[in-house]
Amino acid sequence: MTPSTDADRHRRGLAITGLGGLALSFDIPLIRSADGEVWSILAVRSLSTFLAALATWVVINHLLGRRVALIPGKAGLIAGLLYGINSFTFLLAVFNTSTANVVFILAFTSMFAAILSWIFLKERPSNATFLTMGVMLVGVGVIVSDGLESGHLFGDAMAACSAFLLAAAITISRASGRDMSLVPLTTAIFPAIAGFMLLPAGGLTIAEPAYILFNGLVMIPLAFFCLAGPRYLSAPEVGMFYLLETILAPIWVWIVFSETPSSPTLLGGTILILALVGHSLWQIRMRAARARLACEVAG
């Protein structure tokens, strides 16, 4: 394979993954725009995501001729249940704290994943990762301290639970070695069922259902597929694009709803973003250095 082909694949991977990060950044603004009751939003968002997963599975298996399981084995089911519970905690966070708090605290997912991989997969994080985790704890502490003062502690705690649940699901997926690409979308049926069971007496209450349907049918599946990580991108590069939601979602909400993040939230979020960007750039640099060393040895 020629260097130019590698470069083309890499540029295409950057474009695809960037599109996924951009799509993900519209999740919370679309939830807010739907203007609905929390269980109604959970039910419709999750059911539409599940239907999108079924449609995708039919296309992949019957039109493209690839064999992909909706839920691959016991590991897929456990990971899916974690994704399903995450839907609960994520929406409770969205409805009980500011958008900026939610996305900044969710940025800690990668560090939770590093800790869980260390405990269960015996993959010891590097010293740079430990340093990054320490800095990020400071950032989360600043945000949560603001939540204590403003009465948003429950929402902040739900966002932290979401970060942990996502990290646990990712760790299980990595440990299994199975293709889990459809699991987060397929197991949305679990929170969908729970959401319909928890509906208020008046039934579904969503002022603008088109927003949440568009979110579940189009934007969430698009984000998951694009961020699944094209083979020609490294994990640190993919992780950088997850930060698009962290940076852009508060901006969209500020533009549309005039929700201005507090000064402590902005300070804590800035600490988190700088720590993650620095860590990702360090990983990319180390990966490039190892590749150059391998080429020199082979040469």
Side-chain angles (χ1 to χ4, degrees):
M1 186 177 294
T2 64
S4 61
T5 302
D6 285 339
D8 290 340
R9 287 177 177 270
H10 189 262
R11 282 193 294 269
R12 187 160 62 248
L14 291 174
I16 292 171
T17 312
L19 177 62
L22 181 62
L24 192 62
S25 74
F26 286 101
D27 185 18
I28 295 178
L30 286 170
I31 290 172
R32 295 280 301 273
S33 297
D35 189 18
E37 177 265 337
V38 59
W39 303 123
S40 301
I41 293 290
L42 176 66
V44 174
R45 176 178 180 266
S46 301
L47 180 60
S48 55
T49 301
F50 172 70
L51 294 176
L54 285 183
T56 304
W57 179 77
V58 170
V59 170
I60 292 175
N61 281 265
H62 297 284
L63 297 183
L64 300 182
R66 290 176 52 199
R67 307 307 299 174
V68 177
L70 285 172
I71 302 178
K74 185 184 295 185
L77 181 59
I78 295 172
L81 288 173
L82 292 172
Y83 281 121
I85 299 171
N86 167 70
S87 295
F88 278 93
T89 55
F90 174 72
L91 280 179
L92 287 172
V94 171
F95 277 80
N96 287 280
T97 191
S98 70
T99 298
N101 283 31
V102 174
V103 295
F104 287 150
I105 294 174
L106 279 176
F108 205 75
T109 299
S110 60
M111 294 299 109
F112 274 138
I115 294 171
L116 291 174
S117 295
W118 183 21
I119 295 172
F120 295 104
L121 305 183
K122 309 305 179 186
E123 297 175 353
R124 185 187 183 280
S126 65
N127 291 333
T129 300
F130 280 122
L131 176 61
T132 303
M133 283 191 279
V135 175
M136 291 182 72
L137 280 174
V138 173
V140 171
V142 172
I143 295 171
V144 172
S145 67
D146 182 52
L148 283 171
E149 296 177 4
S150 59
H152 295 158
L153 181 60
F154 176 73
D156 291 349
M158 290 298 98
C161 286
S162 287
F164 180 80
L165 289 165
L166 283 174
I170 291 169
T171 303
I172 290 172
S173 299
R174 289 186 59 244
S176 73
R178 305 287 294 275
D179 183 355
M180 300 275 189
S181 57
L182 290 178
V183 169
L185 306 179
T186 304
T187 53
I189 190 60
F190 299 136
I193 293 171
F196 279 110
M197 293 175 63
L198 293 169
L199 286 178
L204 288 172
T205 306
I206 303 176
E208 301 289 344
Y211 287 109
I212 205 65
L213 286 170
F214 177 67
N215 191 28
L217 291 170
V218 178
M219 299 304 282
I220 293 177
L222 177 64
F224 270 104
F225 289 132
C226 291
L227 286 168
R231 290 188 302 274
Y232 24 83
L233 283 191
S234 67
E237 288 174 313
V238 175
M240 293 279 284
F241 285 102
Y242 271 98
L243 289 178
L244 283 177
E245 181 190 25
T246 306
I247 297 168
L248 293 178
I251 295 175
W252 305 146
V253 172
W254 172 57
I255 292 172
V256 177
F257 301 102
S258 300
E259 180 185 288
T260 305
S262 66
S263 297
T265 294
L266 287 175
L267 174 60
T270 300
I271 293 171
L272 283 167
I273 290 171
L274 291 177
L276 282 170
V277 168
H279 186 260
S280 296
L281 290 176
W282 177 84
Q283 284 186 300
I284 292 170
R285 181 177 178 181
M286 292 301 295
R287 182 173 179 267
R290 285 194 294 268
R292 285 196 300 270
L293 180 62
C295 289
E296 292 173 1
V297 171

PDB file of all heavy atoms in Angstrom, residues 8 18 26 34 41 46 68 75 79 87 118 125 135 150 152 163 195 198 203 212 220 226 229 247 252 257 271-272:
ATOM      1  N   ASP A   8      -4.570   9.158   2.230  1.00  0.00           N
ATOM      2  CA  ASP A   8      -5.966   9.345   1.813  1.00  0.00           C
ATOM      3  C   ASP A   8      -6.917   8.661   2.786  1.00  0.00           C
ATOM      4  O   ASP A   8      -7.952   9.221   3.161  1.00  0.00           O
ATOM      5  CB  ASP A   8      -6.181   8.777   0.404  1.00  0.00           C
ATOM      6  CG  ASP A   8      -5.480   9.610  -0.662  1.00  0.00           C
ATOM      7  OD1 ASP A   8      -5.165  10.782  -0.378  1.00  0.00           O
ATOM      8  OD2 ASP A   8      -5.245   9.080  -1.761  1.00  0.00           O
ATOM      9  N   GLY A  18     -14.875  12.989  12.446  1.00  0.00           N
ATOM     10  CA  GLY A  18     -15.278  14.356  12.749  1.00  0.00           C
ATOM     11  C   GLY A  18     -16.772  14.553  12.583  1.00  0.00           C
ATOM     12  O   GLY A  18     -17.426  15.235  13.382  1.00  0.00           O
ATOM     13  N   PHE A  26     -25.117  17.360  18.872  1.00  0.00           N
ATOM     14  CA  PHE A  26     -26.494  17.848  18.772  1.00  0.00           C
ATOM     15  C   PHE A  26     -27.471  17.038  19.631  1.00  0.00           C
ATOM     16  O   PHE A  26     -28.671  17.355  19.678  1.00  0.00           O
ATOM     17  CB  PHE A  26     -26.960  17.811  17.313  1.00  0.00           C
ATOM     18  CG  PHE A  26     -26.351  18.876  16.464  1.00  0.00           C
ATOM     19  CD1 PHE A  26     -25.295  18.586  15.612  1.00  0.00           C
ATOM     20  CD2 PHE A  26     -26.809  20.184  16.521  1.00  0.00           C
ATOM     21  CE1 PHE A  26     -24.714  19.566  14.829  1.00  0.00           C
ATOM     22  CE2 PHE A  26     -26.240  21.179  15.746  1.00  0.00           C
ATOM     23  CZ  PHE A  26     -25.184  20.869  14.894  1.00  0.00           C
ATOM     24  N   ALA A  34     -36.986  19.285  22.042  1.00  0.00           N
ATOM     25  CA  ALA A  34     -38.227  18.517  22.012  1.00  0.00           C
ATOM     26  C   ALA A  34     -39.191  18.974  23.099  1.00  0.00           C
ATOM     27  O   ALA A  34     -40.415  18.806  22.961  1.00  0.00           O
ATOM     28  CB  ALA A  34     -37.929  17.030  22.165  1.00  0.00           C
ATOM     29  N   ILE A  41     -39.475  11.449  26.772  1.00  0.00           N
ATOM     30  CA  ILE A  41     -38.273  11.616  25.944  1.00  0.00           C
ATOM     31  C   ILE A  41     -37.480  10.314  25.909  1.00  0.00           C
ATOM     32  O   ILE A  41     -37.015   9.870  24.842  1.00  0.00           O
ATOM     33  CB  ILE A  41     -37.395  12.755  26.495  1.00  0.00           C
ATOM     34  CG1 ILE A  41     -38.095  14.108  26.338  1.00  0.00           C
ATOM     35  CG2 ILE A  41     -36.034  12.762  25.803  1.00  0.00           C
ATOM     36  CD1 ILE A  41     -38.215  14.597  24.919  1.00  0.00           C
ATOM     37  N   SER A  46     -35.312   6.266  22.792  1.00  0.00           N
ATOM     38  CA  SER A  46     -34.766   4.914  22.814  1.00  0.00           C
ATOM     39  C   SER A  46     -35.433   4.018  21.774  1.00  0.00           C
ATOM     40  O   SER A  46     -34.758   3.236  21.093  1.00  0.00           O
ATOM     41  CB  SER A  46     -34.929   4.307  24.209  1.00  0.00           C
ATOM     42  OG  SER A  46     -34.263   5.083  25.183  1.00  0.00           O
ATOM     43  N   VAL A  68     -23.568  -9.774  10.965  1.00  0.00           N
ATOM     44  CA  VAL A  68     -23.328  -9.010  12.187  1.00  0.00           C
ATOM     45  C   VAL A  68     -24.457  -9.306  13.168  1.00  0.00           C
ATOM     46  O   VAL A  68     -25.634  -9.215  12.805  1.00  0.00           O
ATOM     47  CB  VAL A  68     -23.270  -7.491  11.902  1.00  0.00           C
ATOM     48  CG1 VAL A  68     -23.104  -6.714  13.204  1.00  0.00           C
ATOM     49  CG2 VAL A  68     -22.133  -7.170  10.951  1.00  0.00           C
ATOM     50  N   ALA A  75     -21.581 -11.388  26.752  1.00  0.00           N
ATOM     51  CA  ALA A  75     -20.860 -10.118  26.925  1.00  0.00           C
ATOM     52  C   ALA A  75     -21.623  -8.978  26.270  1.00  0.00           C
ATOM     53  O   ALA A  75     -21.702  -7.866  26.814  1.00  0.00           O
ATOM     54  CB  ALA A  75     -19.461 -10.230  26.331  1.00  0.00           C
ATOM     55  N   ALA A  79     -22.995  -5.723  28.280  1.00  0.00           N
ATOM     56  CA  ALA A  79     -22.638  -4.378  27.816  1.00  0.00           C
ATOM     57  C   ALA A  79     -23.885  -3.603  27.431  1.00  0.00           C
ATOM     58  O   ALA A  79     -24.017  -2.406  27.726  1.00  0.00           O
ATOM     59  CB  ALA A  79     -21.677  -4.470  26.636  1.00  0.00           C
ATOM     60  N   SER A  87     -28.704   5.216  29.532  1.00  0.00           N
ATOM     61  CA  SER A  87     -29.734   6.086  28.956  1.00  0.00           C
ATOM     62  C   SER A  87     -30.556   6.755  30.059  1.00  0.00           C
ATOM     63  O   SER A  87     -30.917   7.937  29.952  1.00  0.00           O
ATOM     64  CB  SER A  87     -30.661   5.285  28.039  1.00  0.00           C
ATOM     65  OG  SER A  87     -29.962   4.789  26.919  1.00  0.00           O
ATOM     66  N   TRP A 118      -7.286  -1.339  33.852  1.00  0.00           N
ATOM     67  CA  TRP A 118      -6.184  -1.662  34.753  1.00  0.00           C
ATOM     68  C   TRP A 118      -6.609  -2.744  35.754  1.00  0.00           C
ATOM     69  O   TRP A 118      -5.897  -3.719  35.994  1.00  0.00           O
ATOM     70  CB  TRP A 118      -5.741  -0.395  35.485  1.00  0.00           C
ATOM     71  CG  TRP A 118      -4.559  -0.569  36.405  1.00  0.00           C
ATOM     72  CD1 TRP A 118      -3.612  -1.561  36.368  1.00  0.00           C
ATOM     73  CD2 TRP A 118      -4.197   0.300  37.480  1.00  0.00           C
ATOM     74  NE1 TRP A 118      -2.676  -1.367  37.355  1.00  0.00           N
ATOM     75  CE2 TRP A 118      -2.999  -0.233  38.053  1.00  0.00           C
ATOM     76  CE3 TRP A 118      -4.739   1.472  38.006  1.00  0.00           C
ATOM     77  CZ2 TRP A 118      -2.368   0.372  39.144  1.00  0.00           C
ATOM     78  CZ3 TRP A 118      -4.100   2.072  39.079  1.00  0.00           C
ATOM     79  CH2 TRP A 118      -2.935   1.526  39.641  1.00  0.00           C
ATOM     80  N   PRO A 125      -2.177   1.698  33.283  1.00  0.00           N
ATOM     81  CA  PRO A 125      -2.057   2.978  32.568  1.00  0.00           C
ATOM     82  C   PRO A 125      -0.639   3.528  32.673  1.00  0.00           C
ATOM     83  O   PRO A 125       0.093   3.240  33.632  1.00  0.00           O
ATOM     84  CB  PRO A 125      -3.049   3.890  33.304  1.00  0.00           C
ATOM     85  CG  PRO A 125      -3.978   2.967  34.021  1.00  0.00           C
ATOM     86  CD  PRO A 125      -3.162   1.762  34.372  1.00  0.00           C
ATOM     87  N   VAL A 135      -5.248  15.532  37.044  1.00  0.00           N
ATOM     88  CA  VAL A 135      -5.673  16.870  36.602  1.00  0.00           C
ATOM     89  C   VAL A 135      -7.179  16.896  36.352  1.00  0.00           C
ATOM     90  O   VAL A 135      -7.876  17.856  36.715  1.00  0.00           O
ATOM     91  CB  VAL A 135      -4.898  17.273  35.324  1.00  0.00           C
ATOM     92  CG1 VAL A 135      -5.424  18.601  34.787  1.00  0.00           C
ATOM     93  CG2 VAL A 135      -3.409  17.380  35.620  1.00  0.00           C
ATOM     94  N   SER A 150     -25.280  25.288  43.642  1.00  0.00           N
ATOM     95  CA  SER A 150     -26.420  25.664  42.809  1.00  0.00           C
ATOM     96  C   SER A 150     -27.572  24.667  42.865  1.00  0.00           C
ATOM     97  O   SER A 150     -28.588  24.846  42.208  1.00  0.00           O
ATOM     98  CB  SER A 150     -25.966  25.819  41.346  1.00  0.00           C
ATOM     99  OG  SER A 150     -25.400  24.611  40.869  1.00  0.00           O
ATOM    100  N   HIS A 152     -27.490  21.461  41.871  1.00  0.00           N
ATOM    101  CA  HIS A 152     -27.460  20.541  40.734  1.00  0.00           C
ATOM    102  C   HIS A 152     -26.680  19.274  41.042  1.00  0.00           C
ATOM    103  O   HIS A 152     -26.264  18.573  40.119  1.00  0.00           O
ATOM    104  CB  HIS A 152     -26.849  21.231  39.516  1.00  0.00           C
ATOM    105  CG  HIS A 152     -27.665  22.369  38.993  1.00  0.00           C
ATOM    106  ND1 HIS A 152     -27.129  23.372  38.217  1.00  0.00           N
ATOM    107  CD2 HIS A 152     -28.980  22.663  39.130  1.00  0.00           C
ATOM    108  CE1 HIS A 152     -28.074  24.241  37.902  1.00  0.00           C
ATOM    109  NE2 HIS A 152     -29.209  23.820  38.453  1.00  0.00           N
ATOM    110  N   ALA A 163     -20.833   8.390  32.882  1.00  0.00           N
ATOM    111  CA  ALA A 163     -19.436   8.217  32.465  1.00  0.00           C
ATOM    112  C   ALA A 163     -18.911   6.851  32.895  1.00  0.00           C
ATOM    113  O   ALA A 163     -18.238   6.157  32.120  1.00  0.00           O
ATOM    114  CB  ALA A 163     -18.577   9.335  33.055  1.00  0.00           C
ATOM    115  N   GLY A 195     -39.204   3.320  29.796  1.00  0.00           N
ATOM    116  CA  GLY A 195     -39.754   4.658  29.635  1.00  0.00           C
ATOM    117  C   GLY A 195     -41.260   4.646  29.442  1.00  0.00           C
ATOM    118  O   GLY A 195     -41.989   5.446  30.044  1.00  0.00           O
ATOM    119  N   LEU A 198     -43.022   3.973  32.696  1.00  0.00           N
ATOM    120  CA  LEU A 198     -42.950   5.061  33.669  1.00  0.00           C
ATOM    121  C   LEU A 198     -43.669   6.330  33.211  1.00  0.00           C
ATOM    122  O   LEU A 198     -43.590   7.360  33.889  1.00  0.00           O
ATOM    123  CB  LEU A 198     -41.481   5.386  33.969  1.00  0.00           C
ATOM    124  CG  LEU A 198     -40.689   4.294  34.701  1.00  0.00           C
ATOM    125  CD1 LEU A 198     -39.203   4.625  34.695  1.00  0.00           C
ATOM    126  CD2 LEU A 198     -41.195   4.128  36.126  1.00  0.00           C
ATOM    127  N   GLY A 203     -49.987  10.060  29.449  1.00  0.00           N
ATOM    128  CA  GLY A 203     -49.318   9.469  28.292  1.00  0.00           C
ATOM    129  C   GLY A 203     -48.125  10.289  27.845  1.00  0.00           C
ATOM    130  O   GLY A 203     -47.561  11.082  28.618  1.00  0.00           O
ATOM    131  N   ILE A 212     -37.006  14.881  18.719  1.00  0.00           N
ATOM    132  CA  ILE A 212     -36.497  13.678  19.378  1.00  0.00           C
ATOM    133  C   ILE A 212     -36.511  12.491  18.425  1.00  0.00           C
ATOM    134  O   ILE A 212     -35.650  11.605  18.505  1.00  0.00           O
ATOM    135  CB  ILE A 212     -37.293  13.387  20.670  1.00  0.00           C
ATOM    136  CG1 ILE A 212     -36.437  12.573  21.640  1.00  0.00           C
ATOM    137  CG2 ILE A 212     -38.607  12.697  20.404  1.00  0.00           C
ATOM    138  CD1 ILE A 212     -35.217  13.294  22.160  1.00  0.00           C
ATOM    139  N   ILE A 220     -28.213   9.977  16.491  1.00  0.00           N
ATOM    140  CA  ILE A 220     -27.513   9.050  17.384  1.00  0.00           C
ATOM    141  C   ILE A 220     -26.897   7.887  16.605  1.00  0.00           C
ATOM    142  O   ILE A 220     -25.709   7.570  16.800  1.00  0.00           O
ATOM    143  CB  ILE A 220     -28.464   8.551  18.491  1.00  0.00           C
ATOM    144  CG1 ILE A 220     -28.834   9.702  19.418  1.00  0.00           C
ATOM    145  CG2 ILE A 220     -27.812   7.423  19.296  1.00  0.00           C
ATOM    146  CD1 ILE A 220     -29.827   9.343  20.496  1.00  0.00           C
ATOM    147  N   CYS A 226     -20.080   6.563  12.976  1.00  0.00           N
ATOM    148  CA  CYS A 226     -18.893   7.327  12.571  1.00  0.00           C
ATOM    149  C   CYS A 226     -17.808   7.283  13.639  1.00  0.00           C
ATOM    150  O   CYS A 226     -16.616   7.255  13.328  1.00  0.00           O
ATOM    151  CB  CYS A 226     -19.275   8.780  12.282  1.00  0.00           C
ATOM    152  SG  CYS A 226     -20.283   9.010  10.802  1.00  0.00           S
ATOM    153  N   GLY A 229     -14.848   4.363  14.931  1.00  0.00           N
ATOM    154  CA  GLY A 229     -13.408   4.359  14.733  1.00  0.00           C
ATOM    155  C   GLY A 229     -12.986   3.646  13.478  1.00  0.00           C
ATOM    156  O   GLY A 229     -12.768   2.443  13.494  1.00  0.00           O
ATOM    157  N   ILE A 247     -17.127  20.302  23.692  1.00  0.00           N
ATOM    158  CA  ILE A 247     -16.906  21.708  23.361  1.00  0.00           C
ATOM    159  C   ILE A 247     -18.143  22.342  22.723  1.00  0.00           C
ATOM    160  O   ILE A 247     -18.544  23.459  23.077  1.00  0.00           O
ATOM    161  CB  ILE A 247     -15.699  21.844  22.413  1.00  0.00           C
ATOM    162  CG1 ILE A 247     -14.424  21.351  23.100  1.00  0.00           C
ATOM    163  CG2 ILE A 247     -15.531  23.277  21.935  1.00  0.00           C
ATOM    164  CD1 ILE A 247     -13.241  21.168  22.166  1.00  0.00           C
ATOM    165  N   TRP A 252     -24.060  25.192  21.402  1.00  0.00           N
ATOM    166  CA  TRP A 252     -25.384  25.131  20.756  1.00  0.00           C
ATOM    167  C   TRP A 252     -26.479  25.523  21.752  1.00  0.00           C
ATOM    168  O   TRP A 252     -27.397  26.272  21.411  1.00  0.00           O
ATOM    169  CB  TRP A 252     -25.674  23.731  20.225  1.00  0.00           C
ATOM    170  CG  TRP A 252     -24.687  23.107  19.288  1.00  0.00           C
ATOM    171  CD1 TRP A 252     -24.359  21.785  19.195  1.00  0.00           C
ATOM    172  CD2 TRP A 252     -23.893  23.753  18.270  1.00  0.00           C
ATOM    173  NE1 TRP A 252     -23.421  21.569  18.218  1.00  0.00           N
ATOM    174  CE2 TRP A 252     -23.113  22.757  17.643  1.00  0.00           C
ATOM    175  CE3 TRP A 252     -23.753  25.087  17.860  1.00  0.00           C
ATOM    176  CZ2 TRP A 252     -22.224  23.033  16.606  1.00  0.00           C
ATOM    177  CZ3 TRP A 252     -22.857  25.377  16.841  1.00  0.00           C
ATOM    178  CH2 TRP A 252     -22.111  24.368  16.229  1.00  0.00           C
ATOM    179  N   PHE A 257     -30.790  28.386  23.651  1.00  0.00           N
ATOM    180  CA  PHE A 257     -31.566  28.537  24.885  1.00  0.00           C
ATOM    181  C   PHE A 257     -31.015  29.617  25.819  1.00  0.00           C
ATOM    182  O   PHE A 257     -31.570  29.826  26.907  1.00  0.00           O
ATOM    183  CB  PHE A 257     -31.616  27.203  25.645  1.00  0.00           C
ATOM    184  CG  PHE A 257     -32.221  26.079  24.861  1.00  0.00           C
ATOM    185  CD1 PHE A 257     -31.412  25.118  24.257  1.00  0.00           C
ATOM    186  CD2 PHE A 257     -33.592  25.978  24.694  1.00  0.00           C
ATOM    187  CE1 PHE A 257     -31.965  24.076  23.531  1.00  0.00           C
ATOM    188  CE2 PHE A 257     -34.156  24.949  23.970  1.00  0.00           C
ATOM    189  CZ  PHE A 257     -33.342  23.996  23.375  1.00  0.00           C
ATOM    190  N   ILE A 271     -10.183  22.852  32.268  1.00  0.00           N
ATOM    191  CA  ILE A 271      -9.153  21.953  32.819  1.00  0.00           C
ATOM    192  C   ILE A 271      -9.296  20.556  32.212  1.00  0.00           C
ATOM    193  O   ILE A 271      -8.311  19.934  31.791  1.00  0.00           O
ATOM    194  CB  ILE A 271      -9.265  21.891  34.351  1.00  0.00           C
ATOM    195  CG1 ILE A 271      -8.893  23.239  34.971  1.00  0.00           C
ATOM    196  CG2 ILE A 271      -8.375  20.786  34.923  1.00  0.00           C
ATOM    197  CD1 ILE A 271      -9.174  23.332  36.468  1.00  0.00           C
ATOM    198  N   LEU A 272     -10.552  20.058  32.135  1.00  0.00           N
ATOM    199  CA  LEU A 272     -10.791  18.727  31.574  1.00  0.00           C
ATOM    200  C   LEU A 272     -10.367  18.648  30.112  1.00  0.00           C
ATOM    201  O   LEU A 272      -9.687  17.704  29.690  1.00  0.00           O
ATOM    202  CB  LEU A 272     -12.275  18.381  31.696  1.00  0.00           C
ATOM    203  CG  LEU A 272     -12.776  17.957  33.078  1.00  0.00           C
ATOM    204  CD1 LEU A 272     -14.299  17.970  33.111  1.00  0.00           C
ATOM    205  CD2 LEU A 272     -12.270  16.573  33.422  1.00  0.00           C
TER     206      LEU A 272
END
